[in-house]
Amino acid sequence: MPRTARWKSVLGGRFFGGLLSGLLVALSSAAAWAEPPPPAAEVEFFERKIRPVLAEHCLQCHSQKQVKGGLRLDSREGWVTGGDSGPAVIPGKPADSPMLQALHYDPNFVQMPPKGRLSAEVVANFERWVAHGAIDPRGGDAGLTAKPKAKPLDLVKARKHWAYQPVVDPPIPPTTNKNWPQGNIDRLILAHLEHAGLAPVEDADRTTLVRRLYFDLIGLPPTPDEINAFVAESSPQAYEELVERLLASPRFGERWARHWLDVVRFAESLTLRGFVLSTAWRYRDYCIEAFNADRPFDRFLLEQVAGDLLPADKPADARRQRIAVAFLTLGNNNLEEQDKQQLRMDVVDEQLDTIGKALLAQTIGCARCHDHKFDPIPTRDYYALAGILRSTRTLTPANVSKWIESPLPLEPEEEVPYAAHDASVQKLEVRISHEREALKTALATADGKAGGQQPEVLDPDNLPGLVVDDSQAKPVGKWKVSQFTRRYIGEGYRHDDNTGKGTKTLTFVPEITKAGKYEVRLAYSPSSKRATAVPVTIFSADGEHTARVNMREIPDFDGRFISLGVYTFEANGQGFVIVSNDGTDGYVTADAVQFIPFEATDKLLKAAKAKFAGKLPAEAQHAADRLRELEKELAALKKTGPRRPTVISVDEERPIEEAHICVRGNVHNQGDLVPRGFLQVANYDSPVEMPSNESGRLELGRWLASPRNPLTSRVMVNRIWHWLLGAGLVRTTDNFGAAGEKPSHPELLDYLATRLVRENWSVKRLVREIVLSRTYRLSSTGNARLAAADPENRLLAHANRRRLDAECIRDAMLCVSGQLDLTAGGTTIPADKTADYGFVSTSTRRSVYLPMFRNSLPDLLAAFDMADPSMVTGVRNVSTVSPQALFMMNNPFVRQQAELTAKRLLDAGTKPRDEQIRSAFLQVLGRSPTSIELERTDAYLQELLSGKSPATVQEAWTRVVQALLGSIDFRYLN
């Protein structure tokens, strides 16, 4: 619709109130045309949320093997036909479906499953499934009970699908119109248009183009001065120079990182209890820095999948890479799941689903329970990938499991105060542990139970705490058992025979049943021939710490044990101690590792006082006093000491293991063991031999970022095209499988993918090439012929008119009001915030820096279709609903920005009213008003200022600005 006619339609009333009322009605009407979710999404929901529950809880009694009540649930026909009581499910009507009544344990109805009701979450999934039409892709009588026949994947047949074919640099087709194209992108677009008998429209005017470019590249509107300067510039290089300036702006990374954060389901809290991920902001800043620095996209991916396993020349590199792997940890997991095997696999499934959709545009998660129904992804491929991520530790198991906070590598000079503080804490904790032992000894002596001289050979069961003997340790390499010194624990000790340096380890894994702090002690056999700096690594909930032990020195405790420090261990968690012979200069020995609980002093003294009638013996009292003083000193030290910077992250699991297939997705019904690996259909290289001492994430990252991977480069260039032109060449950006769409321009997709790889995976170079094309610069105004021949603009004869995303709408308001705070980076979460419920931010920083809380998304962002931070979102919803108009009319934030913008306009100095109106339009909409807009805005102001109850000048202009902010032209790019 021409601009003048559009304003006539919405400004038909005399006042701008008419504009907003008309807009409200239009938006309400448009809401009725919202499209239903695509069937592919419903099929995926059934496969992931419904089918596994049926398999585990229902088919034993309601399948081909046994048909209780005449009801079968192993096929769609089964529940449609129903049993003795009729159909089990009424699609679209959960309240009328007998199956739902049974799952709700309706007292007036049969209650299923009979062994116990399902969780509220599972029942809610069934309600959602039925409400959305009960999509069930199963057919016939085979159902779920038919034993799947393992068929080898036919790679030749599977690779006939366009997405799995190798990326090739296509030939550039000739075009009849030789003058229009400015590069290969245009030639590939024009060839399709000419084949259809169509031609592109004219280029966009410079005012439209500058606004489009600013929002697409930096996510902010141009100022009036920037618009005027570009429009007045006569140099042929003006556009190219503007592109270069915007690509170099630090605002570019903020805009493009926000796109990426949609794809990787970034959030700073969990839905469960509103737990706040207080260090997740570091990953957001990492992404912003990566796009600003134009870090090669293959490296960008590799760091996110395996940055912690990559070598680093400098602490800054190690720090960046450690932050990058937060990508794996951002899933919205249920930390209260008590079945830890289930939780572990659920975390892996969420990670695989994210990697699959975000990086490969594949719905890998559908293969968790069975071979993928549409795509060539067998269950074995799912568990080959799952083995890599199962060998990666994302959570520390507990009653409410906990994410991992890893310390960040620091520069040597930065490390000094933290290392000194940590050493002081460790020293005090060891002294406290020793003082507790002294207190226990004093109490035992007073009670007449002090032991005599220790024997040469000690029984591990008679030692305090938890003792893991060398006979229980897990050896790597050949270790010799010895009794030569005649002073040992258990049946002897072990040594490395001073051979195979760097190839031998002993791993001591305690079975800790109570979480808490433990002093860790190592027993070894000292001698002048022993090694002087044996690396002993303690893996605990505090992270990884390596101590160097001089085994030529006699151990501190009874000549047997040396303290390695005090560490936190989770109950039945992943804590262990590794003794290595790497780089040692003599014999390495190991006898036992002792874990002594860091017991509460109050509990110890309370029991002692009860035994001694409320008064401790003198020696015990002295020990207790010393202990109290040390504990006070430790508490003060921890309170005042520096806090080491950390980030939410992952660790390598121990031991590294392959994954078993979980039959029908049930973690307690394990099938074949599957070697770790990748998707066969997308792997054109020889199978990679996975390391035995690492998860395989490094190999996974290299495969994902390989130029020979047919998916990764295509997926990314398609996302870039979507972010710049409003629709991908493949419109299903997260699904390149059979259920997704085919590319509208397959040759262009491969051309862009080839360019990305050839240009060192540079995102900025690809963005530059696209925005310099004439295709990008076309007007968004079509014509009748194009509308009839190509109603969805798949052939790109004109630009797509696009609504600004939620962040751009908010940031643009702050920008025109002069309130936008461009401070970059850092946390914006209050230091005392531990739960996200009810949080409301008053920050005026860019929207990318607002706390992304899953339970408290900012109102404006939620109203305008911000991405669900729990899902991979390649394409945001673009709804047009009446609450959006109401928001722009009534929200205090919008009103405040209108007031501040009006004040800005008035503070610019006294001008004729028509000039002020032109300034307002240019400031807010990025263009001058048409003659009718100028006339009607002037009339509206006159009415406000001279009515029966005249408004102040400030109020009158505030209403004008608010109407402009609420207009379509503010929210859309032409």
Side-chain angles (χ1 to χ4, degrees), residues 70-97:
L71 175 64
R72 287 183 58 179
L73 296 175
D74 55 347
S75 68
R76 185 180 189 280
E77 290 81 356
W79 57 258
V80 169
T81 302
D84 300 340
S85 303
V89 172
I90 311 298
K93 298 181 179 180
D96 298 334
S97 297

Short mmCIF file of all heavy atoms in Angstrom, two decimals, residues 70-97:
data_model
loop_
_atom_site.label_atom_id
_atom_site.label_comp_id
_atom_site.label_asym_id
_atom_site.label_seq_id
_atom_site.Cartn_x
_atom_site.Cartn_y
_atom_site.Cartn_z
N GLY A 70 -9.77 -54.55 25.70
CA GLY A 70 -9.99 -54.37 24.27
C GLY A 70 -9.24 -53.20 23.68
O GLY A 70 -9.46 -52.84 22.52
N LEU A 71 -8.34 -52.57 24.45
CA LEU A 71 -7.66 -51.34 24.01
C LEU A 71 -6.21 -51.62 23.64
O LEU A 71 -5.46 -52.22 24.41
CB LEU A 71 -7.70 -50.28 25.11
CG LEU A 71 -6.92 -48.99 24.84
CD1 LEU A 71 -7.49 -48.24 23.65
CD2 LEU A 71 -6.91 -48.11 26.08
N ARG A 72 -5.85 -51.17 22.43
CA ARG A 72 -4.45 -51.22 22.00
C ARG A 72 -3.92 -49.81 21.84
O ARG A 72 -4.62 -48.93 21.31
CB ARG A 72 -4.32 -51.98 20.69
CG ARG A 72 -4.51 -53.48 20.82
CD ARG A 72 -4.29 -54.18 19.49
NE ARG A 72 -2.97 -53.93 18.95
CZ ARG A 72 -2.53 -54.46 17.80
NH1 ARG A 72 -3.30 -55.28 17.11
NH2 ARG A 72 -1.32 -54.18 17.36
N LEU A 73 -2.69 -49.61 22.30
CA LEU A 73 -2.06 -48.30 22.21
C LEU A 73 -0.76 -48.35 21.41
O LEU A 73 0.03 -47.41 21.47
CB LEU A 73 -1.79 -47.74 23.62
CG LEU A 73 -3.02 -47.46 24.47
CD1 LEU A 73 -2.62 -47.03 25.87
CD2 LEU A 73 -3.91 -46.41 23.83
N ASP A 74 -0.54 -49.44 20.67
CA ASP A 74 0.69 -49.56 19.91
C ASP A 74 0.53 -49.09 18.47
O ASP A 74 1.41 -49.28 17.64
CB ASP A 74 1.21 -51.00 19.94
CG ASP A 74 0.16 -52.00 19.47
OD1 ASP A 74 -1.02 -51.63 19.35
OD2 ASP A 74 0.55 -53.16 19.22
N SER A 75 -0.59 -48.46 18.13
CA SER A 75 -0.78 -47.85 16.82
C SER A 75 -1.86 -46.78 16.95
O SER A 75 -2.64 -46.76 17.91
CB SER A 75 -1.20 -48.90 15.79
OG SER A 75 -2.50 -49.38 16.08
N ARG A 76 -1.89 -45.89 15.99
CA ARG A 76 -2.91 -44.85 16.00
C ARG A 76 -4.31 -45.46 15.90
O ARG A 76 -5.25 -45.02 16.59
CB ARG A 76 -2.68 -43.87 14.85
CG ARG A 76 -3.64 -42.70 14.87
CD ARG A 76 -3.40 -41.73 13.72
NE ARG A 76 -4.19 -40.51 13.89
CZ ARG A 76 -5.49 -40.42 13.60
NH1 ARG A 76 -6.13 -41.47 13.12
NH2 ARG A 76 -6.14 -39.29 13.80
N GLU A 77 -4.44 -46.48 15.04
CA GLU A 77 -5.75 -47.10 14.88
C GLU A 77 -6.25 -47.68 16.20
O GLU A 77 -7.46 -47.73 16.44
CB GLU A 77 -5.66 -48.21 13.82
CG GLU A 77 -5.48 -47.70 12.41
CD GLU A 77 -4.04 -47.35 12.08
OE1 GLU A 77 -3.18 -47.42 13.00
OE2 GLU A 77 -3.76 -46.95 10.93
N GLY A 78 -5.30 -48.10 17.06
CA GLY A 78 -5.70 -48.69 18.33
C GLY A 78 -6.48 -47.74 19.20
O GLY A 78 -7.57 -48.07 19.69
N TRP A 79 -5.95 -46.53 19.43
CA TRP A 79 -6.67 -45.62 20.31
C TRP A 79 -7.84 -44.92 19.62
O TRP A 79 -8.76 -44.44 20.27
CB TRP A 79 -5.74 -44.61 20.98
CG TRP A 79 -4.90 -43.73 20.11
CD1 TRP A 79 -3.57 -43.88 19.84
CD2 TRP A 79 -5.30 -42.54 19.43
NE1 TRP A 79 -3.12 -42.87 19.03
CE2 TRP A 79 -4.15 -42.02 18.76
CE3 TRP A 79 -6.50 -41.85 19.30
CZ2 TRP A 79 -4.18 -40.86 17.99
CZ3 TRP A 79 -6.54 -40.68 18.54
CH2 TRP A 79 -5.40 -40.20 17.89
N VAL A 80 -7.80 -44.83 18.28
CA VAL A 80 -8.95 -44.27 17.56
C VAL A 80 -10.15 -45.21 17.69
O VAL A 80 -11.27 -44.78 18.00
CB VAL A 80 -8.60 -44.04 16.07
CG1 VAL A 80 -9.85 -43.72 15.27
CG2 VAL A 80 -7.61 -42.90 15.93
N THR A 81 -9.92 -46.51 17.46
CA THR A 81 -10.99 -47.50 17.61
C THR A 81 -11.39 -47.62 19.07
O THR A 81 -12.57 -47.69 19.42
CB THR A 81 -10.52 -48.87 17.07
OG1 THR A 81 -10.14 -48.72 15.71
CG2 THR A 81 -11.63 -49.90 17.20
N GLY A 82 -10.40 -47.62 19.94
CA GLY A 82 -10.66 -47.69 21.37
C GLY A 82 -10.94 -49.09 21.85
O GLY A 82 -10.84 -50.08 21.10
N GLY A 83 -11.28 -49.20 23.12
CA GLY A 83 -11.55 -50.49 23.73
C GLY A 83 -13.01 -50.65 24.07
O GLY A 83 -13.91 -50.17 23.36
N ASP A 84 -13.25 -51.30 25.21
CA ASP A 84 -14.62 -51.59 25.61
C ASP A 84 -15.43 -50.33 25.85
O ASP A 84 -16.66 -50.34 25.75
CB ASP A 84 -14.61 -52.44 26.89
CG ASP A 84 -13.87 -53.76 26.68
OD1 ASP A 84 -13.74 -54.17 25.51
OD2 ASP A 84 -13.44 -54.36 27.68
N SER A 85 -14.75 -49.21 26.16
CA SER A 85 -15.46 -47.96 26.47
C SER A 85 -15.44 -46.98 25.31
O SER A 85 -15.78 -45.81 25.49
CB SER A 85 -14.83 -47.31 27.71
OG SER A 85 -14.86 -48.18 28.80
N GLY A 86 -15.01 -47.43 24.13
CA GLY A 86 -14.98 -46.53 22.99
C GLY A 86 -13.62 -45.91 22.79
O GLY A 86 -12.63 -46.32 23.41
N PRO A 87 -13.52 -44.89 21.91
CA PRO A 87 -12.23 -44.26 21.61
C PRO A 87 -11.54 -43.76 22.88
O PRO A 87 -12.17 -43.18 23.76
CB PRO A 87 -12.61 -43.10 20.68
CG PRO A 87 -13.91 -43.52 20.07
CD PRO A 87 -14.62 -44.31 21.13
N ALA A 88 -10.22 -44.00 22.93
CA ALA A 88 -9.46 -43.58 24.11
C ALA A 88 -9.09 -42.12 24.07
O ALA A 88 -8.88 -41.48 25.11
CB ALA A 88 -8.19 -44.43 24.23
N VAL A 89 -8.98 -41.55 22.87
CA VAL A 89 -8.56 -40.16 22.71
C VAL A 89 -9.50 -39.47 21.73
O VAL A 89 -9.83 -40.02 20.67
CB VAL A 89 -7.11 -40.07 22.18
CG1 VAL A 89 -6.74 -38.63 21.83
CG2 VAL A 89 -6.13 -40.61 23.21
N ILE A 90 -9.94 -38.27 22.10
CA ILE A 90 -10.72 -37.42 21.20
C ILE A 90 -9.83 -36.26 20.82
O ILE A 90 -9.62 -35.33 21.61
CB ILE A 90 -12.00 -36.89 21.88
CG1 ILE A 90 -12.76 -38.03 22.55
CG2 ILE A 90 -12.87 -36.16 20.86
CD1 ILE A 90 -13.23 -39.11 21.61
N PRO A 91 -9.21 -36.27 19.63
CA PRO A 91 -8.28 -35.21 19.25
C PRO A 91 -8.88 -33.83 19.42
O PRO A 91 -10.02 -33.56 18.99
CB PRO A 91 -7.98 -35.53 17.78
CG PRO A 91 -8.19 -37.00 17.66
CD PRO A 91 -9.34 -37.30 18.57
N GLY A 92 -8.09 -32.96 20.07
CA GLY A 92 -8.53 -31.59 20.29
C GLY A 92 -9.36 -31.39 21.54
O GLY A 92 -9.68 -30.27 21.91
N LYS A 93 -9.72 -32.49 22.23
CA LYS A 93 -10.60 -32.39 23.39
C LYS A 93 -10.04 -33.21 24.56
O LYS A 93 -10.51 -34.33 24.83
CB LYS A 93 -12.01 -32.87 23.04
CG LYS A 93 -12.68 -32.04 21.95
CD LYS A 93 -14.09 -32.55 21.65
CE LYS A 93 -14.76 -31.70 20.58
NZ LYS A 93 -16.13 -32.17 20.28
N PRO A 94 -9.06 -32.66 25.27
CA PRO A 94 -8.48 -33.41 26.39
C PRO A 94 -9.49 -33.77 27.47
O PRO A 94 -9.45 -34.86 28.02
CB PRO A 94 -7.41 -32.44 26.94
CG PRO A 94 -7.12 -31.50 25.82
CD PRO A 94 -8.39 -31.36 25.04
N ALA A 95 -10.42 -32.84 27.75
CA ALA A 95 -11.38 -33.07 28.83
C ALA A 95 -12.32 -34.23 28.52
O ALA A 95 -12.87 -34.86 29.43
CB ALA A 95 -12.19 -31.80 29.09
N ASP A 96 -12.52 -34.52 27.22
CA ASP A 96 -13.45 -35.58 26.82
C ASP A 96 -12.75 -36.89 26.49
O ASP A 96 -13.40 -37.85 26.07
CB ASP A 96 -14.26 -35.13 25.59
CG ASP A 96 -15.11 -33.91 25.88
OD1 ASP A 96 -15.47 -33.71 27.06
OD2 ASP A 96 -15.40 -33.15 24.94
N SER A 97 -11.43 -36.94 26.66
CA SER A 97 -10.67 -38.12 26.29
C SER A 97 -10.50 -39.06 27.48
O SER A 97 -9.90 -38.68 28.49
CB SER A 97 -9.29 -37.71 25.75
OG SER A 97 -9.41 -36.94 24.58
#
